[in-house]
């Protein structure tokens, strides 16, 4: 069977989801169809790519090699599309848009607005990606003028050589739970008090969130139970029904019936939003202005929610700003694991 681009996407999605069922949901296919495709790919490549334990998938050594090649192919294909688009615009007398990117459930809308304000008159195009490695690779290759990537508590961000970054904002992760939960009466909840809960985690990716969450729970004295992996809305439904709790960034929790969110004592779980650009990016000269604008837009969004505004007034504002100078081009380092 000849391998196709869709098979590369299949392998990467399986690795990021760590589950046949979750990968099938993201690919909008049935689990049986995904399993069948994987078996055909494994036959074509001559070996097992994933170890299967129930629904859990772990790459084999051959699988790790295939995944690296598949990611390179997908990045090259993205580069092809962007290059052809630029060439088409140049030949037709137009100009290429400034491309920016972010992860799923990102603040990329703030980045797009800030870029438009910093360079008025330019077309700005934004996209979401499921991999931090892919985002950093696209910035390094010049395919993205700027990207939003993440650093989680206990999982530091390491940049490839030649890239610069600055922290736009640090977001505390609150806990969402049923309004009938015994802890819902508190204004602040300690992470250790959630030791007996079932948790909903986002679908696995390479951002470092899962590692950060496990490390912080172990620091708080417990190993969390994480039977659920889901996008935001199913997670809210489980939490509102009292079947689990989940972490969420204020103010992205909608007015979901029966759901409340509470800050955690000491803000043990957090996500820093870094803006990353190459030294020769068309946005390099205005990057610091964009970082500052994204910070203010993020603060204003949290301030628009009454609970968020109260949290900002009691130390949250300083926590979110976390201002640091831009990091110089890195001499060493690898993308986040």
């Amino acid at each position: 069977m000849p391998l196709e681009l869709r098979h590369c996407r299949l392998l990467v999605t399986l690795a990021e989801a760590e589950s046949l069922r979750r990968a099938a949901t993201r690919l909008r296919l049935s689990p049986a169809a995904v399993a069948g495709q994987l078996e055909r790919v494994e036959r074509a490549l001559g070996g097992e790519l994933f170890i299967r334990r129930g629904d859990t998938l772990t790459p084999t050594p051959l699988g790790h090699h295939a995944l690296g090649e598949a990611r390179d192919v997908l990045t090259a294909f993205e580069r092809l599309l962007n290059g052809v688009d630029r060439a088409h615009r140049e030949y037709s007398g137009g100009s290429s848009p400034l491309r920016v990117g972010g992860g799923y459930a990102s603040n990329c809308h703030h980045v797009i607005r800030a870029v438009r304000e910093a360079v008025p008159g330019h077309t700005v195009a934004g996209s979401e990606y499921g991999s931090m490695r892919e985002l950093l690779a696209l910035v390094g290759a010049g395919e993205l003028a700027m990207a939003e990537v993440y650093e989680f508590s206990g999982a530091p961000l390491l940049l490839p050589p030649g890239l610069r970054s600055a922290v736009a904002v640090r977001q505390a992760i609150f806990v969402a739970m049923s309004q009938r939960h015994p802890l819902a009466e508190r204004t602040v909840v300690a992470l250790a008090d959630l030791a007996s809960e079932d948790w909903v985690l986002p679908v696995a990716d390479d951002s470092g969130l899962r590692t950060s969450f496990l490390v912080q729970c172990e620091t708080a004295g417990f190993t969390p139970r994480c039977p659920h992996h889901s996008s935001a809305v199913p997670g809210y439904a489980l939490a509102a029904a009292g079947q689990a709790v989940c972490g969420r960034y204020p103010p992205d929790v909608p007015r979901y019936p029966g759901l409340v969110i509470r800050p955690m004592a000491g803000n043990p779980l957090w996500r820093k939003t870094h803006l990353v650009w190459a030294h020769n990016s068309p946005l390099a000269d205005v990057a610091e202005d964009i970082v500052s604008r994204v910070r203010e837009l993020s603060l204003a969004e949290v301030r628009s929610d009454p609970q968020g505004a109260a949290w900002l007034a009691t130390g949250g504002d300083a926590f979110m700003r976390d201002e640091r100078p831009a990091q110089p081009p890195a001499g060493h380092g690898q993308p986040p694991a």
Side-chain angles (χ1 to χ4, degrees), residues 201-264:
L201 291 185
V203 175
D205 58 21
D206 62 0
S207 67
L209 184 153
R210 181 184 297 254
T211 299
S212 170
F213 176 71
L214 294 176
V215 167
Q216 297 306 318
C217 288
E218 293 290 347
T219 300
F222 70 97
T223 299
R225 296 198 307 265
C226 308
H228 311 296
H229 299 82
S230 173
S231 60
V233 173
Y236 298 149
L238 284 168
Q243 298 178 25
V245 298
C246 56
R248 285 294 175 255
Y249 310 103
D252 74 343
V253 179
R255 299 302 181 198
Y256 202 95
L259 189 71
V260 298
I261 64 169
R262 296 291 182 260
M264 287 192 250

Side-chain angles (χ1 to χ4, degrees), residues 239-329:
Q243 298 178 25
V245 298
C246 56
R248 285 294 175 255
Y249 310 103
D252 74 343
V253 179
R255 299 302 181 198
Y256 202 95
L259 189 71
V260 298
I261 64 169
R262 296 291 182 260
M264 287 192 250
N267 303 314
L269 302 175
W270 48 258
R271 179 182 77 178
K272 286 184 183 179
T273 295
H274 292 250
L275 298 190
V276 179
W277 63 96
H279 67 90
N280 58 348
S281 166
L283 296 176
D285 290 342
V286 292
E288 294 292 352
D289 294 335
I290 295 170
V291 170
S292 296
R293 184 59 175 143
V294 169
R295 180 180 301 122
E296 295 310 316
L297 289 170
S298 299
L299 283 162
E301 187 174 39
V302 175
R303 198 174 291 118
S304 67
D305 173 76
Q307 187 175 22
W311 178 75
L312 288 176
T314 55
D317 187 281
F319 183 86
M320 286 192 71
R321 289 183 181 277
D322 190 51
E323 294 180 276
R324 294 183 182 180
Q327 296 178 15

Side-chain angles (χ1 to χ4, degrees), residues 82 85 89 95-102 107-129 143-148 281-283 286 290 294:
N82 291 340
D85 179 69
R89 290 177 177 275
S95 60
S96 297
L98 293 169
R99 298 185 179 277
V100 298
N107 292 318
C108 200
H109 58 295
H110 291 328
V111 180
I112 293 170
R113 178 175 172 181
V115 170
R116 283 178 172 161
E117 293 176 0
V119 284
H122 285 73
T123 301
V124 182
S127 299
E128 288 188 338
Y129 298 83
E143 303 306 321
L144 292 176
M146 180 173 282
E148 177 184 299
S281 166
L283 296 176
V286 292
I290 295 170
V294 169

Side-chain angles (χ1 to χ4, degrees), residues 25 57 68 72 90 100 122 146 153 163 169 173 188 193-194 197 210 230 251 274 298 306 311 330 332:
T25 299
L57 299 175
D72 288 345
E90 290 172 3
V100 298
H122 285 73
M146 180 173 282
S153 47
L163 300 188
V169 68
I173 299 177
V188 178
D193 290 338
L194 300 166
E197 302 294 332
R210 181 184 297 254
S230 173
H274 292 250
S298 299
W311 178 75
H332 301 281

Side-chain angles (χ1 to χ4, degrees), residues 1 3 11 39-49 62 66:
M1 179 194 75
L3 294 182
L11 294 182
E39 289 175 1
R40 289 190 289 274
V41 171
E42 288 180 325
R43 284 198 299 270
L45 295 180
E48 189 177 41
L49 302 179
L62 178 62

Side-chain angles (χ1 to χ4, degrees), residues 8-56:
C8 293
R9 291 197 180 97
L10 171 77
L11 294 182
V12 171
T13 303
L14 285 167
E16 292 175 351
E18 300 180 345
S19 157
L20 192 71
R21 176 179 50 80
R22 292 195 295 271
T25 299
R26 292 176 64 170
L27 293 167
R28 298 184 179 181
L29 297 171
S30 70
V34 172
Q37 286 191 31
L38 175 58
E39 289 175 1
R40 289 190 289 274
V41 171
E42 288 180 325
R43 284 198 299 270
L45 295 180
E48 189 177 41
L49 302 179
F50 292 91
I51 298 172
R52 301 162 177 80
R53 294 187 179 90
D55 187 52
T56 302

